[in-house]
């Protein structure tokens, strides 16, 4: 009932304000007509200039470029940063797995050469547990 | 006033009650429509949040003036792109109307006037003297029934009129949305760049 009364009072207010509202909307329509005229003039000159007038603004393009740049720099980062969190680090590893170097001296199709220095044989002397160990005894 | 109401017959009192109920219903309906328009304005205004959030987040817009100027610029451009074909159609319709009357009627617009008059209803309201005022005293007498002109001239006039009215309503809808978004920008900008001390402490 209270809501109905509220609607009734609002309705009365709207009726009383209707001449003002109509006047305001007539002015707004005139303003929209001016906007249309201005837009048509800009479209015409853009067309003469060989471009199409589009609904885009430099700031949102700048933002899009900035976001794209952020994404690409994040994906192409060669080294892992310790400042990143674990999840971001893992994302880097997934997106940039360790690739074999293309700057290898071995031409493609050739067998990989033998290592120049052979691995040294380490002679390990066996330790006899039966013999008594003398620690720090210099005699 | 009260002795006059007492003098009224029962059927007259019923008529007055019915008229009062119809009037009250109409006023309530206008109130409901107004409230729903308010809600529509609020929901349409929230559209600016979708593109302003990131611009403010990444510091491309730094103060209130820049915020309002950007919203106005963007919404004006959107208004042009949304309404350009509607305005062009209005121009085409007006041009078609004038070309038709120039070619076939030798710029004689009396046919158009007759066609529009054909839609009207002729009513004569009987009046009576009430406390020295000449006011409506009974139901109206219908003197003319609507008789639309059903020939090519009539179709051209009615078609043009209907197209113009519909296109104007569509354009007014876009104008309404445009001003709703500007209003939202003016309201929301106060809190976007205002320092907020809620949930903040400087105690060391």
């Amino acid at each position: 009932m209270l809501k109905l009364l509220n609607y009734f009072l609002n309705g009365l207010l709207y009726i009383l304000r209707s001449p003002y509202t109509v006047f305001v909307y007539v002015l707004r329509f005139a303003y929209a007509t001016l906007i249309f005229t201005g837009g048509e003039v800009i479209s015409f000159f853009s067309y003469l200039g060989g471009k199409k007038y589009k609904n885009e603004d430099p700031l949102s393009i700048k933002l899009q470029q900035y976001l794209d740049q952020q994404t690409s720099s994040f994906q192409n980062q060669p080294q892992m940063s310790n400042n990143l969190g674990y999840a971001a680090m893992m994302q880097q590893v997934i997106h940039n797995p360790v690739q074999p170097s293309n700057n290898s001296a071995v031409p493609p199709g050739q067998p990989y050469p033998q290592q120049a220095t052979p691995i040294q044989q380490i002679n390990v002397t066996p330790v006899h547990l039966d013999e008594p160990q003398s620690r720090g005894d210099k005699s | 006033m009260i002795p006059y109401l007492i003098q009224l017959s029962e059927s007259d009192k019923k008529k007055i009650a019915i008229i009062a109920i119809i009037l009250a219903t109409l006023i309530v309906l206008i109130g409901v429509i107004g409230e729903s328009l308010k809600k529509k304005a609020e929901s349409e205004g929230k559209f600016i949040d979708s593109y302003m959030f990131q611009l403010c987040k990444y510091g491309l817009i730094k103060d209130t003036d820049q915020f309002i100027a950007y919203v106005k610029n963007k919404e004006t451009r959107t208004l042009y792109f949304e309404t350009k074909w509607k305005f062009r159609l209005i121009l085409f319709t007006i041009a078609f109307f004038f070309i038709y009357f120039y070619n076939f009627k030798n710029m004689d617009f009396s046919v158009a006037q007759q066609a529009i008059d054909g839609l009207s209803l002729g009513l004569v309201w009987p009046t009576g003297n009430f406390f020295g005022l000449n006011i409506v005293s009974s139901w109206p007498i219908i003197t003319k029934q609507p008789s639309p002109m059903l020939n090519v001239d009539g179709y051209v006039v009615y078609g043009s009129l209907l197209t113009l009215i519909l296109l104007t309503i569509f354009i007014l809808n876009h104008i309404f949305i445009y001003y709703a978004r500007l209003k939202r920008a003016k309201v929301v900008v106060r809190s976007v760049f205002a320092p907020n001390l809620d949930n903040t402490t400087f105690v060391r």
Side-chain angles (χ1 to χ4, degrees):
Chain A
M1 193 65 196
L2 203 67
K3 208 169 183 180
L4 215 63
L5 191 70
N6 189 28
Y7 282 139
F8 182 80
L9 290 174
N10 276 331
L12 272 179
L13 262 176
Y14 292 135
I15 290 167
L16 287 174
R17 279 178 53 189
S18 59
Y20 169 74
T21 313
V22 169
F23 174 70
V24 165
Y25 268 88
V26 167
L27 285 183
R28 285 176 179 181
F29 194 87
Y31 180 61
T33 315
L34 276 178
I35 290 171
F36 167 71
T37 315
E40 289 295 88
V41 170
I42 295 168
S43 294
F44 179 67
F45 282 106
S46 301
Y47 177 74
L48 287 182
K51 281 191 289 181
K52 198 182 174 190
Y53 182 44
K54 288 179 185 170
N55 189 9
E56 54 189 25
D57 58 300
L59 215 57
S60 57
I61 293 169
K62 203 173 157 185
L63 175 72
Q64 197 57 45
Q65 280 173 352
Y66 172 72
L67 290 175
D68 289 346
Q69 201 182 347
Q70 285 278 91
T71 316
S72 63
S73 69
F74 183 70
Q75 284 182 350
N76 298 329
Q77 221 164 12
Q79 73 278 9
M80 282 189 281
S81 168
N82 288 331
N83 297 330
L84 297 172
Y86 178 75
M89 216 162 76
M90 286 312 293
Q91 212 174 3
Q92 267 197 14
V93 171
I94 291 161
H95 286 298
N96 305 302
V98 179
Q99 296 288 330
S101 175
N102 292 329
N103 300 327
S104 173
V106 183
Q110 293 291 316
Y112 202 78
Q114 289 294 318
Q115 271 187 308
T117 50
I119 301 163
Q120 281 185 326
Q121 192 79 34
I122 301 163
N123 295 320
V124 181
T125 49
V127 179
H128 297 287
L129 294 173
D130 298 335
E131 286 177 11
Q133 295 286 318
S134 60
R135 279 189 180 175
D137 193 0
K138 289 183 180 178
S139 60
Chain B
M1 183 78 183
I2 293 164
Y4 178 78
L5 284 174
I6 293 164
Q7 281 171 12
L8 288 171
S9 65
E10 280 303 310
S11 65
D12 286 344
K13 281 178 189 171
K14 273 181 190 171
K15 279 176 193 171
I16 287 169
I18 289 165
I19 289 167
I21 289 166
I22 290 169
L23 267 176
T25 315
L26 269 176
I27 292 168
V28 168
L29 254 177
I30 290 167
V32 170
I33 291 166
E35 290 299 304
S36 61
L37 281 176
K38 243 185 205 175
K39 278 181 188 163
K40 183 182 162 30
E42 279 169 17
S43 65
E44 285 292 344
K46 282 192 177 166
F47 179 76
I48 65 160
D49 298 19
S50 62
Y51 60 82
M52 289 311 289
F53 179 77
Q54 281 201 323
L55 291 172
C56 293
K57 187 184 169 188
Y58 290 105
L60 289 167
I61 283 173
K62 289 166 188 138
D63 55 29
T64 54
D65 293 342
Q66 218 181 345
F67 188 97
I68 290 172
Y70 180 79
V71 172
K72 193 172 181 189
N73 199 349
K74 190 173 173 71
E75 289 305 324
T76 306
R77 215 181 304 108
T78 307
L79 179 67
Y80 165 68
F81 279 98
E82 292 288 330
T83 56
K84 69 176 180 183
W85 275 109
K86 290 162 186 106
F87 271 113
R88 284 172 190 172
L89 270 174
I90 284 181
L91 290 178
F92 289 148
T93 311
I94 292 169
F96 169 75
F97 184 80
F98 278 100
I99 288 167
Y100 178 83
F101 275 86
Y102 179 75
N103 279 335
F104 299 105
K105 296 285 160 194
N106 203 17
M107 292 304 264
D108 179 21
F109 293 106
S110 57
V111 181
Q113 205 173 352
Q114 279 170 22
I116 293 164
D117 283 345
L119 292 175
S120 63
L121 191 72
L123 295 175
V124 172
W125 294 86
T127 54
N129 203 10
F130 181 71
F131 285 105
L133 292 169
N134 205 22
I135 57 166
V136 174
S137 61
S138 182
W139 295 106
I141 302 152
I142 297 166
T143 54
K144 187 175 91 59
Q145 294 279 356
S147 54
M149 194 185 275
L150 297 175
N151 53 23
V152 181
D153 297 343
Y155 294 140
V156 168
V157 172
Y158 298 141
S160 305
L161 205 67
L162 197 69
T163 313
L164 287 179
I165 289 167
L166 283 176
L167 289 170
T168 309
I169 290 167
F170 289 143
I171 290 169
L172 283 174
N173 179 40
H174 286 297
I175 292 169
F176 175 81
I177 291 168
Y178 171 75
Y179 280 96
R181 288 176 185 172
L182 287 193
K183 192 183 172 190
R184 165 87 178 154
K186 280 173 192 166
V187 169
V188 89
V189 76
R190 291 179 205 148
S191 60
V192 170
F193 295 106
N196 190 3
L197 287 175
D198 290 338
N199 304 323
T200 309
T201 178
F202 297 106
V203 177
R204 291 182 185 179

